[in-house]
Amino acid sequence: VEVKIEVVIPEKERSKEEMSPNGKASPLIYKVNGTARHYHLEEHPIASNPYHNPKDVVEASVCHVKDLENGQMREVDLGCGKALLIKESGEFHAVGHKCPHYGAPLVKGVLSKGRVRCPWHGACFNIGTGDIEDFPGLDSLPRFQVKIEKEKVYIRASKQALQTQRRTKMMAKCISLSNYNLSSTNVLIIGAGAAGLVCAETLRQEGFSDRIVMCTMDRHLPYDRPKLSKSMDSHPEQITLRPKEFFCTYDIEVLTEMQVAAVDVKSKIAVFKDGFKMEYNKLLIATGNTPKTLSCKGKEMENVFNIRTPEDANRVVKLATSKNVVIVGASFLGMEVAAYLAERAHSVSLVELEHVPFKKFFGERVGRAVMKMFENNRVKFYMQTEVSELREQEGKLKEVVLKSGKVLRADVCVVGVGAVPATGFLKQSGINIDSKGFIVVNKMMQTNIPGVFAAGDAVIFPLALRNNKKVNVPHWQMAHMHGRIAALNMLAHGTEISTVPYLWTAMFGKSIRYAGHGEGFDDVVIQGDLDELKFVAFYTKSDEVVAVASMNYDPIVSKVAEVLAAGRTIRKRDVE
């Protein structure tokens, strides 16, 4: 059987794009400042031939129908690019073969119930449409046409789609920004990280055609923040999530270097630090966290950094090259910075209160294995102590004094001792905030105030995986999902969050992948070899697996994530 693959918009998706969120083919109606405005979505003409230029199309026979069993995937070459061929429930599907996030080969991922999960970072894609269904990442996969003739499987595809391996879902555009009062918007998004951007994009994907304004204290358009500690010399334009043209095309306004000082939820007004006021109809708060600083003498000194922006990361790399670096805190950020600078700096010292890095997150045995890897790469640890003073010489940092009495030479100091929610401006707003400063939301990312939503690192929300326990999960993937759920519920879809937390860290060319929520685990079952850094660790609580971590063991974490996502329980005896 030959399978032919062709990039087309599914009929289901076409019809969906021409309908309003309530499923009726009618204009979208949203109230702005009390006035009802009627907008039609852009018309998307459906061509009989989806390929405008026949020269851009390739068609190839890729296998016999019996070459693939149900539940199997195969990467196939069409001559000018590759596709992922999938057989499930007797049907063939073909989509892009690379995850649009970081390019992971999806053939090594996990196929389950109509979707494929990325082996590296857990993003999920619908095999029938190519649509992204879980994160991280912003783009969907191209979908190709499959045909079967004389028991051969043919794939017909656009060369461009084969080469780019990504597809942006169709979006509505704003009807006319010139008609708006500058001081009012239908949707205001405070914060321009992953949660804010995904919220804006989802609104446009769902046909929302009114004004969207994002504001951020940063000077840049939304960028890939996890790269700040993993790839510290990246320039802003290299890690931007969407180019400037994207925001112009889809009328998503981004106000940079703008800080909201207060929110009046009764009047639906956000007050900015410079006095500017903006009315809103729907509000998303996605302000993230603020790094903690040291409390010792000399903390304000030059050459002492929190890594918060690309400029911070770039400056640290420049100052640290062939110099002495001290990193305070064996957090994910601290450890990733240490790994990145180990080959560049003259010396890297790491100061930590615990006796093992990552103990609370990965457990003592995994923490020790990671620590040994760092020591083998010239990173020196000073554990169970903290900084008592930062000393200067001629106005610049010269030494870090520890409470143990040890004095470390230091030309640069990076602080990674945790963060607090950036929610201080909401204290008088009436929005429900817990004792630690986290915004409390329900399964639809709604706060206690109608029309006000919150997402990302600054919230606690009910995690289905842990019997709806209210948790804070400050992961990149989770921020994406929060933003999507918030957008859908701004449009009254009634969608509840249901996802498995997924994160990763990269150090010395090796990655640890993690899925689930292991807070409060009481035992760790380890398979593999910790000394060889090839292992999988199952975190259990009361005989149930609540999280999993692995190194050099792909795609086990994605497999476990898929099992947990299906609502199935993994028992401790199952993994022992």
Side-chain angles (χ1 to χ4, degrees):
V1 175
E2 299 180 354
V3 177
K4 293 183 179 178
I5 299 182
E6 180 176 16
V7 183
V8 292
I9 301 167
E11 290 294 335
K12 184 179 177 183
E13 189 170 319
R14 286 177 184 157
S15 59
K16 183 179 178 183
E17 285 167 0
E18 295 168 346
M19 297 169 79
S20 65
N22 62 12
K24 297 176 183 176
S26 62
L28 300 184
I29 304 174
Y30 293 99
K31 284 192 174 182
V32 184
N33 304 329
T35 306
R37 291 182 176 168
H38 296 250
Y39 292 139
H40 288 276
L41 299 187
E42 285 187 299
E43 291 184 7
H44 303 295
I46 300 170
S48 56
N49 179 3
Y51 304 108
H52 300 294
N53 183 359
K55 292 181 180 178
D56 183 46
V57 180
V58 61
E59 182 173 299
S61 169
V62 293
C63 71
H64 191 277
V65 284
K66 292 182 180 178
D67 289 345
L68 254 66
E69 299 292 332
N70 279 323
Q72 284 190 325
M73 301 186 288
R74 177 182 290 186
E75 200 175 88
V76 293
D77 196 337
L78 277 70
C80 62
K82 295 180 180 180
L84 182 68
L85 181 64
I86 301 163
K87 187 177 182 182
E88 191 174 71
S89 301
E91 292 187 10
F92 286 93
H93 305 273
V95 293
H97 75 288
K98 284 184 180 179
C99 178
H101 179 228
Y102 281 0
L106 293 175
V107 71
K108 294 183 179 180
V110 180
L111 176 65
S112 175
K113 295 182 179 178
R115 69 180 191 177
V116 59
R117 185 183 282 269
C118 171
W120 290 359
H121 306 132
C124 297
F125 302 91
N126 185 297
I127 63 172
T129 65
D131 286 350
I132 187 167
E133 295 185 343
D134 205 339
F135 302 93
L138 298 170
D139 292 313
S140 297
L141 298 173
R143 182 179 81 90
F144 308 125
Q145 187 182 47
V146 180
K147 289 184 180 178
I148 297 174
E149 291 180 0
K150 297 180 181 178
E151 300 218 332
K152 287 187 178 180
V153 181
Y154 288 84
I155 294 177
R156 191 164 189 253
S158 143
K159 293 178 183 178
Q160 183 181 5
L162 283 169
Q163 288 158 7
T164 59
Q165 289 293 314
R166 62 182 65 225
R167 171 178 62 87
T168 303
K169 290 178 75 174
M170 281 195 176
M171 300 192 198
K173 293 183 183 180
C174 211
I175 296 303
S176 176
L177 288 176
S178 60
N179 294 338
Y180 290 110
N181 179 346
L182 285 176
S183 61
S184 71
T185 182
N186 196 300
V187 173
L188 175 62
I189 298 170
I190 306 175
L197 179 58
V198 171
C199 178
E201 289 201 22
T202 301
L203 287 169
R204 288 287 185 247
Q205 288 164 1
E206 294 296 314
F208 182 79
S209 56
D210 215 319
R211 191 180 187 200
I212 300 173
V213 175
M214 300 173 68
C215 63
T216 174
M217 292 167 58
D218 217 316
R219 68 173 66 173
H220 305 294
L221 291 172
Y223 56 86
D224 192 343
R225 193 175 292 276
K227 283 191 175 178
L228 293 187
S229 52
K230 296 179 177 75
S231 181
M232 296 179 68
D233 56 358
S234 298
H235 296 297
E237 58 273 13
Q238 294 174 309
I239 59 174
T240 187
L241 295 173
R242 294 295 195 194
K244 185 178 179 181
E245 296 75 27
F246 178 92
F247 294 93
C248 295
T249 299
Y250 298 110
D251 302 314
I252 298 170
E253 299 168 73
V254 185
L255 308 179
T256 56
E257 298 181 283
M258 290 284 280
Q259 182 178 355
V260 174
V263 174
D264 183 339
V265 297
K266 291 182 180 177
S267 303
K268 292 190 172 184
I269 292 174
V271 182
F272 289 78
K273 196 172 183 180
D274 63 3
F276 178 66
K277 295 181 180 180
M278 179 169 280
E279 291 182 54
Y280 63 84
N281 185 31
K282 296 282 193 299
L283 176 67
L284 177 72
I285 303 164
T287 44
N289 286 331
T290 301
K292 291 180 181 177
T293 57
L294 296 176
S295 57
C296 62
K297 181 182 175 183
K299 65 177 181 177
E300 304 295 341
M301 198 183 304
E302 195 178 330
N303 290 10
V304 178
F305 293 89
N306 288 112
I307 305 292
R308 185 64 185 166
T309 67
E311 288 78 14
D312 293 335
N314 295 169
R315 185 141 175 77
V316 166
V317 172
K318 187 176 180 181
L319 292 171
T321 302
S322 301
K323 300 289 185 179
N324 301 299
V325 180
V326 173
I327 297 164
V328 185
S331 58
F332 282 102
L333 180 140
M335 295 288 277
E336 288 171 1
V337 169
Y340 191 83
L341 296 178
E343 291 184 358
R344 295 165 175 80
H346 175 69
S347 71
V348 176
S349 303
L350 212 150
V351 181
E352 167 60 33
L353 267 173
E354 291 280 354
H355 67 282
V356 172
F358 297 135
K359 182 187 173 186
K360 288 182 181 177
F361 203 87
F362 289 136
E364 184 163 339
R365 291 174 65 193
V366 173
R368 285 197 182 281
V370 173
M371 186 173 176
K372 184 179 176 182
M373 176 178 72
F374 273 70
E375 289 173 333
N376 291 339
N377 283 278
R378 298 175 46 249
V379 175
K380 178 76 174 173
F381 286 90
Y382 297 87
M383 307 303 280
Q384 293 180 285
T385 187
E386 53 189 316
V387 177
S388 64
E389 183 186 352
L390 299 174
R391 290 178 182 166
E392 65 170 310
Q393 183 178 330
E394 297 177 0
K396 290 188 177 180
L397 176 68
K398 197 63 184 173
E399 294 174 333
V400 174
V401 183
L402 306 182
K403 288 191 175 177
S404 62
K406 184 74 177 176
V407 179
L408 307 177
R409 293 180 62 188
D411 301 293
V412 184
C413 179
V414 176
V415 180
V417 292
V420 294
T423 56
F425 70 103
L426 299 173
K427 282 183 179 177
Q428 307 301 320
S429 67
I431 295 169
N432 189 9
I433 294 173
D434 76 357
S435 59
K436 293 182 180 178
F438 293 111
I439 305 167
V440 182
V441 296
N442 63 15
K443 289 183 180 182
M444 295 186 282
M445 309 314 295
Q446 296 168 326
T447 68
N448 60 311
I449 306 295
V452 178
F453 299 77
D457 293 1
V459 310
I460 60 167
F461 69 101
L463 183 64
L465 190 68
R466 296 295 295 270
N467 298 315
N468 294 319
K469 177 184 177 183
K470 287 282 182 83
V471 298
N472 171 250
V473 184
H475 303 337
W476 189 240
Q477 167 259 353
M478 190 58 73
H480 285 69
M481 184 57 86
H482 282 181
R484 176 162 177 77
I485 298 298
L488 293 174
N489 290 306
M490 285 181 180
L491 301 175
H493 283 207
T495 306
E496 295 185 350
I497 188 164
S498 178
T499 185
V500 176
Y502 203 114
L503 72 91
W504 69 96
T505 183
M507 303 161 295
F508 300 112
K510 299 182 184 299
S511 288
I512 298 179
R513 319 208 191 283
Y514 179 98
H517 188 70
E519 187 178 49
F521 66 87
D522 51 37
D523 197 11
V524 187
V525 178
I526 295 175
Q527 306 286 358
D529 192 329
L530 285 171
D531 292 332
E532 293 293 323
L533 298 175
K534 184 175 182 179
F535 65 87
V536 54
F538 297 95
Y539 300 88
T540 64
K541 186 176 175 65
S542 302
D543 193 45
E544 183 180 329
V545 174
V546 292
V548 60
S550 81
M551 184 182 280
N552 290 320
Y553 234 98
D554 291 340
I556 186 67
V557 170
S558 286
K559 284 185 176 181
V560 172
E562 202 57 35
V563 172
L564 297 176
R568 288 153 57 194
T569 299
I570 304 174
R571 297 292 176 192
K572 187 177 180 179
R573 63 177 177 271
D574 298 330
V575 298
E576 282 181 326

